[in-house]
Amino acid sequence: MENNKVLIVDDQNGIRVLLMEVFSSEGYETYQASNGKLALEIVRAKRPDLVLLDMKIPGMDGLEILRHIKTIDVDIKVIMMTAYGELDIINEARDLGALMHFTKPFDIDELRFAVNHQLRGDLNSRTPIGT
């Protein structure tokens, strides 16, 4: 069975490194991008199963990246990450196909649970809130 692929898109290196470690240890094939251009190149070349996408990225914001991802492959799952609680942007991301969002600083175990649930259907006794 092929490993699921996770792409982490965030302009903060520390967050990318942390999430790469977490999801590599979960058995996922992981990729990272610090900007939208690189993220879309990886999406085209590797077809990740799930993208963890920061909303605020210099050059091309998360909503724009999300739009492009969905035109490349509508089945790629996207979970948004944001340091801002802007409801209108969060709602727009959901309208564009994002599954949920996590507000930074997020609980790494809740994020891990959400990713595992989306990719493996792992169900524990609780459901991720996504906030």
Side-chain angles (χ1 to χ4, degrees):
M1 182 173 92
E2 188 178 315
N3 286 346
N4 284 317
K5 296 179 243 180
V6 175
L7 169 60
I8 297 138
V9 184
D10 199 302
D11 60 327
Q12 295 180 350
N13 185 57
I15 290 176
R16 289 195 317 273
V17 169
L18 171 68
L19 295 177
M20 291 276 293
E21 282 181 23
V22 167
F23 293 109
S24 292
S25 72
E26 289 287 314
Y28 298 115
E29 197 174 313
T30 56
Y31 305 92
Q32 64 173 311
S34 59
N35 60 62
K37 183 177 185 293
L38 181 56
L40 295 174
E41 287 173 10
I42 293 169
V43 167
R44 286 186 194 96
K46 302 295 183 182
R47 297 293 167 138
D49 299 289
L50 186 140
V51 177
L52 292 169
L53 177 58
D54 188 26
M55 283 213 203
K56 299 284 187 184
I57 296 181
M60 186 186 305
D61 73 16
L63 291 177
E64 190 176 347
I65 296 167
L66 175 59
R67 281 187 197 95
H68 286 294
I69 289 171
K70 290 299 184 175
T71 60
I72 294 166
D73 186 343
V74 73
D75 293 327
I76 294 174
K77 298 175 181 194
V78 179
I79 295 175
M80 303 299 291
M81 301 179 294
T82 180
Y84 311 92
E86 298 165 313
L87 221 61
D88 55 337
I89 293 175
I90 291 165
N91 288 335
E92 186 174 352
R94 201 164 277 149
D95 291 345
L96 291 169
L99 298 171
M100 62 184 67
H101 78 282
F102 282 84
T103 303
K104 294 177 183 177
F106 44 76
D107 181 312
I108 197 69
D109 289 326
E110 285 186 14
L111 185 60
R112 181 193 338 247
F113 176 85
V115 169
N116 286 337
H117 175 68
Q118 291 299 326
L119 294 178
R120 298 180 181 150
D122 287 357
L123 292 173
N124 292 338
S125 59
R126 61 191 178 114
T127 304
I129 298 167
T131 57

